[in-house]
């Protein structure tokens, strides 16, 4: 299996080498690490160069756009020539924490969409309580990048709208939470060819480890939950989502 979105650089209690080993022992042979802060861009580059199973995404997270400078465009362009940089991300809109700089978020989001289009790389989208603006901006500005709705948090209806655009839906630990009926409904209803698995480690740890630090090895709990919701085998979920990830990120 592939963990398509995992901040392994932010895991504190387990070393990167140990995290990768535990992932491998649990059937996860590729991990894609996004950037969130501008400083992560160098961290991601060093991780992809030192670990065969690690791939990277470059970009600035919506809550960190106050640190955005336009020279990052040239830096990302240069670094994305590396064959293991497979997407731009994570980028998008986050209206949950602080609404005072929504306009700056939109501006930087649009700049990074254009960059991804120019580089012809997929985009890992962070959308928290900003479904409508995220959707509208992507529809207006994205010309050719494949879209992955990372940590999808919308309704079944919104998932369908995204899939109608050809966008992928990435599900993580939330689907295993007892009270997360909305995400369980999404996991049951979307066509499998649009589904990706991710942990978003170190956050959103699935049951039965909820409350502890998340890591890529726990993808299996997410796959098991989705398989049981859909009444199919874990192998089937693993196979299809792995093929989807290989296709989307051209691994
Ligand atoms: Ni993330």
């Amino acid at each position: 299996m592939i963990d398509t979105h995992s901040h392994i650089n932010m895991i504190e209690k387990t070393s990167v080498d140990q995290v990768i080993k535990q992932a491998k022992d649990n059937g996860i042979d590729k991990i894609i690490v996004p950037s969130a802060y501008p400083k992560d861009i160098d961290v991601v580059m060093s991780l992809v160069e030192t670990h065969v199973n690690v791939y990277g995404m470059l970009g600035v997270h919506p809550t960190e756009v106050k640190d955005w400078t336009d020279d990052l465009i040239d830096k990302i362009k240069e670094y994305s020539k590396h064959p293991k940089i497979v997407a731009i991300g994570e980028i998008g809109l986050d209206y949950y924490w602080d609404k005072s700089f929504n306009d700056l978020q939109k501006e930087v989001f649009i700049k990074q969409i254009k960059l991804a289009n120019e580089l012809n790389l997929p985009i890992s989208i962070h959308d928290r309580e900003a479904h409508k603006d995220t959707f509208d901006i992507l529809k207006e500005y994205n010309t050719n990048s494949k879209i992955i709705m990372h940590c999808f948090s919308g309704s079944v209806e919104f998932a369908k709208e995204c899939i109608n655009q050809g966008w992928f839906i990435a599900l993580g630990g939330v689907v295993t939470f007892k009270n997360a009926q909305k995400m369980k409904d999404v996991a049951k209803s979307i066509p499998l060819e649009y589904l990706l698995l991710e942990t978003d480690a170190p956050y959103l740890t699935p049951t039965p480890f909820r409350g502890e630090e998340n890591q890529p090895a726990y993808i299996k709990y997410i796959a098991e939950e989705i398989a049981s919701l859909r009444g199919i085998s874990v192998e089937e979920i693993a196979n299809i989502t792995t093929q989807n990830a290989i296709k989307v990120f051209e691994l």
Side-chain angles (χ1 to χ4, degrees), residues 5 7 34 61 90 126 150 200 203:
H5 189 116
H7 303 267
H61 188 286
E90 55 180 298
H126 175 103
H150 143 65
D200 203 19
Y203 313 109

Side-chain angles (χ1 to χ4, degrees), residues 61-63 90-94 124-128 134 148 150:
H61 188 286
T63 58
E90 55 180 298
I91 69 171
L93 300 173
D94 190 318
S124 179
I125 298 290
H126 175 103
D127 155 27
R128 190 161 187 197
T134 303
I148 300 104
H150 143 65

Side-chain angles (χ1 to χ4, degrees), residues 88-105:
I88 294 299
E90 55 180 298
I91 69 171
L93 300 173
D94 190 318
Y95 296 168
Y96 178 75
W97 297 104
D98 178 354
K99 295 178 179 67
S100 68
F101 60 105
N102 288 4
D103 288 341
L104 179 63
Q105 287 194 26

Side-chain angles (χ1 to χ4, degrees), residues 54-72:
V54 174
Y55 295 76
M57 311 181 197
L58 305 178
V60 175
H61 188 286
T63 58
E64 312 309 327
V65 293
K66 284 172 186 164
D67 296 329
W68 172 267
T69 48
D70 278 338
D71 58 348
L72 285 170

